[in-house]
Amino acid sequence: EDRSEADPQALRESALAESRIYTVLQGLPVSHPEYYGYVEGELEGFGWLFLGDAAGEVFVPEDPRQRQAATRWLAELHVSSSRTSGASSLPDHGPALYREHLRGGLAAIECIHASLEITAGENDLLNDVKGWLELVASCWGDIEAICTAMPRALVHGDFASRNIRVQRRGVEEVSLLVFDWEVAGWGMPGID
């Protein structure tokens, strides 16, 4: 990922947040890469996270055993982290974050309409997406009320095959190693 144009302070805050997440993970009964620490880099906004190898096979969600392992892993993460005090100091991944994503999506569509030449089909697709986003925005008060009533926990935020490795223990047993916590935070388990 090219980060040469990124705000150095934002990069530093992201790295520090991921470092805090790995620190919280140390106290939870879920598998994760070994965390050795964080060191500030010489360039402003850059630093180093020192982690163990995320070895194993790529997660295949179609495999029933792997899906079961993922369900167990997520349940353990969410239940155990919801009982800790340290996890609640992580970045907030509650309704306000997703409202900003919603607003950003609507603004991006307006920008595309204003600045790009698009085909009629692309325009129709964008208008459909905009309509769905506007519908969600019109119900935001109800969505926020439901979300506020939900329990909070550490959420990965990008629980996808590219961030999960499967480690086999014998013929039948598999366990997961989940990594890449840069967008994780304190939020509703349904995010994962």
Side-chain angles (χ1 to χ4, degrees):
E1 176 178 355
D2 179 14
R3 296 183 175 211
S4 59
E5 300 282 327
D7 172 26
Q9 187 59 31
L11 290 173
R12 180 176 183 276
E13 290 303 317
S14 175
L16 288 172
E18 190 167 1
S19 174
R20 285 192 308 272
I21 288 163
Y22 276 107
T23 300
V24 169
L25 285 169
Q26 299 299 313
L28 300 178
V30 293
S31 55
H32 53 81
E34 193 65 38
Y35 174 66
Y36 299 109
Y38 171 80
V39 176
E40 288 284 338
E42 291 181 16
L43 298 174
E44 181 185 353
F46 293 90
W48 296 91
L49 283 172
F50 290 93
L51 304 169
D53 185 24
E57 304 167 26
V58 173
F59 177 71
V60 178
E62 295 80 18
D63 181 314
R65 249 184 264 127
Q66 292 184 29
R67 274 197 320 272
Q68 289 173 348
T71 301
R72 282 191 305 274
W73 190 94
L74 282 170
E76 191 66 44
L77 171 72
H78 296 150
V79 169
S80 64
S81 67
S82 70
R83 297 176 179 153
T84 66
S85 59
S88 63
S89 67
L90 298 174
D92 183 15
H93 283 251
L97 173 69
Y98 294 96
R99 186 174 203 168
E100 287 307 309
H101 287 317
L102 177 64
R103 288 177 178 157
L106 287 166
I109 290 171
E110 290 304 317
C111 184
I112 291 169
H113 276 137
S115 63
L116 297 176
E117 290 184 29
I118 57 177
T119 67
E122 292 167 336
N123 188 57
D124 290 344
L125 177 62
L126 279 176
N127 285 333
D128 286 347
V129 171
K130 181 180 177 186
W132 284 108
L133 293 178
E134 288 172 340
L135 176 63
V136 171
S138 72
C139 303
W140 196 260
D142 294 334
I143 292 168
E144 196 166 273
I146 291 167
C147 293
T148 301
M150 300 289 289
R152 297 290 182 101
L154 171 58
V155 293
H156 186 274
D158 194 14
F159 193 79
S161 295
R162 67 182 170 275
N163 297 325
I164 305 168
R165 292 297 175 265
V166 175
Q167 298 177 326
R168 298 199 180 270
R169 297 179 183 164
V171 177
E172 295 294 317
E173 189 178 347
V174 298
S175 66
L176 302 183
L177 189 65
V178 180
F179 56 95
D180 197 5
W181 292 82
E182 71 184 40
V183 296
W186 187 247
M188 298 153 297
I191 292 166
D192 287 336

